[in-house]
């Protein structure tokens, strides 16, 4: 089973590559508050269909470059709507 994340596209200035921001919520063990943390992943977008604000599902694949080892599996929700 491949690693999957759902995140928002925050950058598409590169060719066939998008930057996806994945937000995680974790419960603090002592204070019992939820803490938000995020990480940006570079993902391969072969047909350049993603635009800013899109919510996408990314899936792990073999390393495509030094920093890119995910590919866009599907566009969950468009940013324009």
């Amino acid at each position: 089973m491949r690693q999957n994340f759902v995140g928002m596209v925050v950058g598409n200035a590169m060719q066939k590559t998008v930057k996806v921001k994945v937000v995680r919520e974790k419960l603090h063990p002592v204070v019992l508050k939820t803490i938000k943390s995020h990480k940006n992943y570079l993902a391969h977008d072969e047909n350049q269909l993603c635009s800013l604000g899109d919510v996408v599902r990314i899936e792990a694949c073999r390393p495509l470059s030094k920093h890119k080892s995910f590919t866009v599996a599907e566009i969950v929700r468009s940013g324009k709507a």
Side-chain angles (χ1 to χ4, degrees):
M1 179 136 182
R2 290 190 171 161
Q3 194 175 19
N4 285 307
F5 295 119
V6 176
M8 182 179 288
V9 176
V10 292
N12 63 351
M14 301 155 279
Q15 295 178 1
K16 296 190 178 184
T17 304
V18 291
K19 186 191 288 186
V20 180
K21 181 178 182 177
V22 176
V23 178
R24 290 193 178 86
E25 290 187 0
K26 186 178 178 183
L27 188 66
H28 192 280
V30 177
V31 186
L32 299 178
K33 281 187 166 183
T34 56
I35 299 170
K36 285 186 181 179
S37 63
H38 76 273
K39 185 172 181 182
N40 291 327
Y41 293 96
L42 293 182
H44 185 66
D45 183 19
E46 180 64 38
N47 299 323
Q48 299 183 359
L49 298 174
C50 296
S51 58
L52 289 176
D54 287 354
V55 177
V56 296
R57 184 173 63 85
I58 58 175
E59 188 175 75
C61 63
R62 66 179 179 82
L64 299 170
S65 69
K66 183 177 178 181
H67 300 290
K68 187 164 67 166
S69 59
F70 285 88
T71 183
V72 175
E74 66 172 327
I75 299 175
V76 178
R77 189 176 64 224
S78 179
K80 303 284 183 188

